[in-house]
Amino acid sequence: MGLAQRVYADDLTRELFGLAAELADKELRPTAATAERDGVFPRELFRTLGAAGLLGLPYPERLGGGGQPHEVYLQVVEELAGAWLTVGLGLSVHTLACFPLAVAGTAAQQQAWLPELLGGGMLGAYCLSEPQSGSDAAALRTRAVADGADYVVDGVKSWISHAGQADFYTLFARTSGEHDGPDPARGISCLHVPAETPGVSAAPAEHKMGMRASVTAQMIFQSARVPAGCLIGEEGRGFGIALAALDAGRLGIAACATGLAQAALDAAVGHARGRRQFGRRIADFQGMSFMLADMATAVEAARALYLAAARRKDAGLPYGPQAAMAKLFASDTAMRVTTDAVQVLGGYGYVEDLPAERYMREAKALQIVEGTNQVQRMVIGRALTRDTAPRQDG
């Protein structure tokens, strides 16, 4: 998405978008295809983003963040994801991992940890899902047992982005109650776990359909002793923090999906303009122009939806259902637009020489992460049908 199309309120925001676009053009696009082919995690690029001030944009400046509204932060995510989804998604995951500390940590915890986390010196990961509890996150089994001045953590987390690469893990573990009890959400606590903690390790990386440069693996916690001072928020009240974090994170996924869809649209339009068949550009055939028009309309709608939800968040209004709508629509749009882009390019879209096939493989992940799109529909449906359903116009 060109700089002129971004929504900016002042010269500082314009400069921020310009910086993101420059990094996307000079640092991300030139290396994305090779790194994805070889499965190389771009750790240095995250240090570059940190040095540029892009890893903590939506958090307060007093804590080391950028002090930017979500409406601005998400457009930066979209810009980076359009250049390389692994990096855009990685920024969103890092922001998600910092969320519990930023909103529920004590002042002492925030002052001790957040400046380095938000300043780019450290990269985070978010550990909620488990092998037996993905969509049913409240049924998690990882335990943190109080033992003197520590918690002793045992369990396995699955599908963890940045596993083995992160410098800290935002971990949700059970400090009381049972995973199959009458109220499994009670008794879940949030812990800040440094990566160097003995007993914390990553399993071998998963072999994925797409986003191969983004490391995804299980995280293993085996008698890992975590100081009680690393508890974020109240003991046993961590599940509410997890859900609030996911509401914000879903907007990040929506922005990533929109960026990916925009990249696929740009590739399709460029090919349709340059490819000639039967004596004219294929873009001039009505069937092709209608397909491109539908693709462009869907991308614009996805962008409008996530920005509208971001404005609600920035205004302090409830935005959970709107975040679910944005994630649902934008990721479904990314899947549809990337598939259509492959069709527009024909045989060229099916080979690895051009990025269209990679975009299509990557889009599928966005319909799954941060709550499958079936879960998003559940969230939206429940919001609409509860007795005090909120007005959608705010």
Side-chain angles (χ1 to χ4, degrees):
M1 184 180 179
L3 180 61
Q5 301 178 61
R6 292 288 175 202
V7 178
Y8 53 86
D10 50 40
D11 289 341
L12 177 62
T13 308
R14 180 195 288 269
E15 291 175 8
L16 179 61
F17 291 155
L19 173 61
E22 182 180 6
L23 288 171
D25 286 337
K26 294 183 178 179
E27 302 288 344
L28 275 60
R29 285 190 180 88
T31 57
T34 299
E36 288 295 333
R37 182 195 65 203
D38 298 338
V40 177
F41 183 72
R43 184 64 181 88
E44 283 303 315
L45 279 179
F46 287 101
R47 293 190 177 92
T48 299
L49 294 182
L54 300 183
L55 282 190
L57 286 176
Y59 295 121
E61 291 179 274
R62 62 181 176 79
L63 298 176
Q68 293 296 316
H70 248 68
E71 182 181 7
V72 170
Y73 153 70
L74 291 172
Q75 291 179 82
V76 171
V77 171
E78 182 192 335
E79 186 76 51
L80 299 178
W84 188 359
L85 182 59
T86 285
V87 176
L89 186 72
L91 172 56
S92 181
V93 167
H94 177 78
T95 304
L96 175 69
C98 293
F99 180 94
L101 181 58
V103 302
T106 66
Q109 289 173 330
Q110 292 173 347
Q111 291 297 329
W113 297 327
L114 274 179
E116 190 169 13
L117 306 189
L118 301 181
M122 306 184 82
L123 185 67
Y126 185 83
C127 297
L128 178 62
S129 294
E130 296 184 3
Q132 303 302 321
S133 60
S135 295
D136 186 11
L140 65 84
R141 305 184 187 198
T142 296
R143 283 204 171 270
V145 178
D147 183 23
D150 300 326
Y151 288 100
V152 179
V153 181
D154 286 281
V156 177
K157 295 293 181 177
S158 61
W159 312 114
I160 306 304
S161 297
H162 305 164
Q165 298 288 336
D167 300 293
F168 72 95
Y169 297 90
T170 297
L171 171 71
F172 294 90
R174 188 171 298 283
T175 48
S176 64
E178 298 296 333
H179 71 276
D180 55 357
D183 188 4
R186 293 183 64 116
I188 294 173
S189 299
C190 180
L191 295 167
H192 173 84
V193 182
E196 67 271 15
T197 302
V200 176
S201 62
E206 306 286 356
H207 298 284
K208 306 194 299 293
M209 177 191 297
M211 294 188 65
R212 294 167 182 165
S214 177
V215 178
T216 305
Q218 291 186 338
M219 285 301 303
I220 301 167
F221 299 84
Q222 189 170 18
S223 300
R225 300 190 74 88
V226 179
C230 289
L231 176 70
I232 305 299
E234 296 181 42
E235 183 175 281
R237 303 295 294 272
F239 195 65
I241 298 173
L243 294 183
L246 287 175
D247 280 343
R250 284 165 182 160
L251 291 181
I253 300 303
C256 285
T258 304
L260 183 66
Q262 182 71 57
L265 172 63
D266 291 344
V269 170
H271 182 80
R273 285 173 172 171
R275 178 72 166 168
R276 299 185 67 85
Q277 295 285 275
F278 305 103
R280 55 177 172 160
R281 305 182 311 169
I282 64 172
D284 295 329
F285 290 93
Q286 187 180 74
M288 181 62 68
S289 67
F290 280 15
M291 178 182 288
L292 295 174
D294 287 343
M295 293 163 69
T297 300
V299 173
E300 287 293 338
R303 181 175 295 119
L305 197 54
Y306 88 66
L307 287 174
R311 293 185 191 107
R312 290 184 65 90
K313 177 173 172 54
D314 290 334
L317 296 172
Y319 72 98
Q322 288 79 12
M325 292 175 191
K327 192 273 183 185
L328 166 65
F329 185 83
S331 58
D332 280 354
T333 290
M335 191 74 253
R336 184 169 61 255
V337 169
T338 56
T339 301
D340 285 347
V342 170
Q343 189 70 21
V344 170
L345 270 70
Y348 294 103
Y350 199 68
V351 296
E352 293 185 4
D353 304 73
L354 296 174
E357 61 84 29
R358 172 164 62 86
Y359 296 155
M360 182 177 173
R361 288 187 287 106
E362 291 175 339
K364 188 62 204 173
L366 300 176
Q367 294 180 304
I368 299 171
V369 298
E370 308 254 350
T372 66
N373 282 5
Q374 286 68 35
V375 168
Q376 306 311 316
R377 289 178 171 91
M378 288 172 56
V379 170
I380 298 163
R382 287 171 180 169
L384 291 172
T385 57
R386 65 175 180 255
D387 290 340
T388 56
R391 287 168 55 96
Q392 295 303 301
D393 61 6

